[in-house]
């Protein structure tokens, strides 16, 4: 930077205007902090991750965004429907072990994300679209180097930086924080359809998760949205979906026809947008914090879309980080590892245990077990509803051992 380059100062700079960035900005504004949000894209913009979990509602309420979300006209959601071959089961998230919200929404993310960042701006956060962070200096007074769409460069000096850049993973890339995930490289192909679902054909208030009849590690989502539209996609190891771009639509159509439930519900319904593909989305870092910064949501770790945990983890991370950051900005000594990293990863590890056993088929065996104990079913429902930090639930306190024991019991009694 030249000596004449523009320099700005702010309490907290946030990279990314997605859900975690918007909620963090709103919470910091409630605490009276000056906040600058830097977003490289322009909103509205498309994003997947369209099925929220009830746990997220508490964080939207805390951030002063709940009324706007409730009044936006999104599709109501109260649970999840799972299907494999001739087996099917539904979980109603209102019937769960943990206290708290049991309902939420299925959302078109372009509208949802824009609504949240607008709420943050209305609370006094400054939001700049088309501004890209290209470098960072860490330390007690971190500095971001930013370039706008006119190629104007400037510096932002902040007391702290939160990276809410999602799959862009700005600070992990700039600071070389990436770490192996331990999860196979999977991909997703997806689009939207005009579903035309009859009222008695499928419960629009639930996401449908369907397992391929021949490949238990291949699954589909169907997420009913408002206005008779549904998001539909298929997730598998990358090689299973690897076709040239021109063949993606035919590939997704063929896969839909191979799954009886989706074939009945969607069949040949026309795609409303080009079939897109993302891959290699699972991500991890060595640590979720460093000198003068912390990573929120997908910027830190993303597991897999199967249980729609991404937005909930993002909002939980914003909630936890702001609580620690407020104390730090107030002059207290804080331990980011003990007070942010470890607690956040507790819930992530709960989801990880469920994700791993979904792909081995063990969790599917549990979900489709015909003689489920009501109390255990409510515990599983709580995790599926996003309450992955409630350690009064044995399947949160010790998820690996509990799921292993439960699967063994299910198999022995068949």
């Amino acid at each position: 930077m030249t000596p004449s380059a523009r320099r700005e100062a702010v309490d907290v700079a946030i990279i990314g205007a997605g859900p975690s960035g918007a909620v963090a900005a709103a919470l910091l504004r409630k605490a009276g902090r000056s906040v600058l949000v830097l977003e490289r894209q322009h909103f509205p913009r498309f994003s997947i991750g369209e099925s929220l979990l009830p746990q997220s509602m508490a964080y939207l309420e805390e951030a002063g965004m709940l009324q706007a979300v409730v009044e936006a006209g999104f599709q109501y959601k109260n649970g999840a429907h799972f299907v494999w071959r001739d087996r099917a089961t539904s979980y109603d998230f209102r019937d769960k072990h943990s206290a708290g919200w049991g309902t939420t929404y299925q959302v078109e993310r372009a509208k949802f994300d824009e609504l949240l960042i607008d709420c943050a701006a209305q609370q006094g956060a400054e939001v700049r679209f088309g501004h890209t962070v290209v470098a960072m200096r860490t330390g007690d007074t971190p500095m971001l180097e930013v370039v706008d769409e006119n190629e104007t460069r400037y510096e932002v000096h902040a007391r702290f930086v939160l990276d809410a850049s999602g799959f862009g993973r700005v600070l992990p890339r700039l600071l070389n924080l990436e770490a192996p995930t331990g999860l196979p490289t999977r991909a997703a192909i997806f689009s939207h359809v005009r579903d035309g679902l009859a009222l008695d054909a499928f419960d629009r208030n639930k996401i449908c998760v369907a397992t391929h009849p021949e490949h238990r590690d291949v699954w589909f989502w169907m997420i009913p949205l408002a206005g008779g539209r549904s998001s539909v996609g298929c997730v598998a190891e990358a090689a299973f979906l690897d076709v040239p771009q021109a063949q993606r639509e035919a590939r997704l159509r063929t896969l839909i026809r191979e799954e009886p439930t989706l074939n009945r519900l969607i069949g040949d319904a026309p795609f409303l947008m080009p079939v897109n593909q993302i891959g290699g989305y699972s991500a991890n870092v060595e640590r979720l914090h460093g000198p003068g910064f912390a990573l929120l949501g997908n910027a830190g770790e993303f597991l897999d879309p199967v249980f729609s945990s991404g937005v909930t983890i993002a909002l939980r991370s914003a909630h936890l980080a702001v609580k620690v950051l407020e104390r730090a900005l107030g002059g207290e000594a804080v331990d980011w590892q003990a007070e942010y990293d470890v607690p956040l990863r507790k819930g992530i590890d709960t989801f990880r245990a469920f994700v791993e056993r979904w792909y081995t088929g063990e969790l599917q065996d549990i979900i489709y077990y015909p003689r489920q104990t009501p109390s255990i079913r409510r515990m599983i429902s709580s995790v599926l509803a996003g309450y992955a930090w409630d350690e009064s639930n044995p399947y949160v306190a010790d998820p690996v051992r509990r799921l292993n024991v439960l699967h063994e019991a299910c198999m022995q009694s068949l």
Side-chain angles (χ1 to χ4, degrees):
M1 297 289 294
T2 64
S4 60
R6 188 171 95 232
R7 289 174 169 81
E8 302 181 20
V10 67
D11 287 335
V12 182
I14 299 176
I15 307 170
S20 64
V23 165
L27 294 176
L28 287 163
R29 285 300 302 144
K30 283 177 174 287
R33 305 297 176 183
S34 59
V35 179
L36 173 61
V37 181
L38 300 162
E39 168 60 53
R40 68 180 178 87
Q41 294 184 296
H42 287 271
F43 283 26
R45 54 89 178 97
F46 178 84
S47 178
I48 60 170
E50 298 146 316
S51 192
L52 306 182
L53 300 183
Q55 168 75 95
S56 63
M57 300 294 278
Y59 307 126
L60 296 173
E61 185 173 26
E62 179 186 29
M65 299 173 173
L66 184 60
Q67 182 176 348
V69 171
V70 169
E71 294 179 351
F74 295 121
Q75 170 65 48
Y76 177 78
K77 176 186 175 183
N78 63 20
H81 180 73
F82 296 91
V83 60
W84 176 52
R85 295 180 177 172
D86 59 348
R87 303 184 190 183
T89 186
S90 292
Y91 282 81
D92 188 325
F93 293 157
R94 296 166 294 186
D95 184 20
K96 64 187 189 315
H97 167 86
S98 302
W101 285 82
T103 62
T104 185
Y105 296 96
Q106 299 179 149
V107 302
E108 291 187 58
R109 284 287 302 279
K111 179 180 178 181
F112 178 75
D113 290 10
E114 185 175 35
L115 183 151
L116 297 194
I117 198 61
D118 284 350
C119 285
Q122 290 164 10
Q123 295 182 52
E126 182 177 356
V127 184
R128 296 178 187 168
F129 295 101
H131 288 240
T132 301
V133 174
V134 295
M136 179 182 181
R137 184 185 68 211
T138 61
D140 292 337
T141 307
M143 183 275 288
L144 298 177
E145 185 176 344
V146 186
V147 60
D148 67 17
E149 291 174 319
N150 296 319
E151 300 299 324
T152 301
R153 291 177 177 260
Y154 62 96
E155 293 180 357
V156 175
H157 295 256
R159 298 176 66 186
F160 203 83
V161 173
L162 295 174
D163 184 355
S165 59
F167 292 123
R169 298 173 60 77
V170 171
L171 294 189
R173 288 188 295 101
L174 293 177
L175 303 178
N176 296 315
L177 303 176
E178 303 279 5
T181 69
L183 295 171
T185 300
R186 296 191 177 95
I189 55 173
F190 53 91
S191 186
H192 283 185
V193 298
R194 182 69 61 194
D195 55 55
L197 295 176
L199 291 177
D200 59 351
F202 181 76
D203 183 355
R204 295 192 70 89
N205 298 329
K206 292 178 174 63
I207 182 176
C208 178
V209 177
T211 302
H212 192 283
E214 303 303 326
H215 307 282
R216 293 191 76 181
D217 62 342
V218 176
W219 64 274
F220 305 83
W221 76 74
M222 186 185 75
I223 303 172
L225 301 167
R229 189 182 186 104
S230 281
S231 171
V232 61
C234 180
V235 176
E237 291 204 22
F240 187 81
L241 301 174
D242 190 19
V243 296
Q245 182 173 351
Q247 298 176 25
R248 284 178 189 164
E249 181 171 330
R251 180 63 170 147
L252 180 56
R253 182 69 67 191
T254 298
L255 288 166
I256 289 171
R257 288 171 178 156
E258 289 174 355
E259 202 295 304
T261 297
L262 291 188
N263 187 41
R264 173 175 59 86
L265 295 174
I266 295 175
D268 294 326
F271 295 125
L272 299 178
M273 64 183 196
V275 173
N276 292 313
Q277 179 169 341
I278 60 169
Y281 42 69
S282 295
N284 194 11
V285 289
E286 294 290 349
R287 63 188 190 281
L288 295 172
H289 61 93
F293 72 88
L295 309 178
L296 305 183
N298 297 347
E301 182 160 1
F302 182 76
L303 295 172
D304 189 271
V306 64
F307 299 122
S308 305
S309 61
V311 173
T312 296
I313 292 172
L315 301 190
R316 176 76 177 191
S317 70
H319 163 85
L320 284 174
V322 169
K323 285 187 176 300
V324 179
L325 179 53
E326 259 307 293
R327 292 175 45 232
L329 294 176
E332 292 186 42
V334 300
D335 184 338
W336 279 94
Q337 182 67 21
E339 298 176 50
Y340 175 65
D341 194 306
V342 171
L344 183 61
R345 287 189 194 267
K346 175 61 184 174
I348 293 173
D349 287 344
T350 299
F351 282 124
R352 185 192 305 278
F354 276 64
V355 167
E356 289 174 344
R357 282 153 187 78
W358 172 266
Y359 283 105
T360 62
E362 294 168 272
L363 186 62
Q364 296 179 44
D365 292 337
I366 291 169
I367 286 174
Y368 294 119
Y369 180 69
R371 297 185 297 278
Q372 298 181 13
T373 303
S375 61
I376 294 178
R377 182 178 173 84
R378 286 192 289 272
M379 294 172 187
I380 300 297
S381 182
S382 283
V383 175
L384 297 180
Y387 293 90
W389 292 268
D390 176 14
E391 295 195 54
S392 73
N393 184 345
Y395 292 88
V396 172
D398 191 6
V400 171
R401 185 179 69 83
R402 287 282 184 169
L403 287 173
N404 289 348
V405 170
L406 180 59
H407 179 255
E408 182 177 355
C410 290
M411 292 299 97
Q412 287 178 348
S413 63
L414 285 177

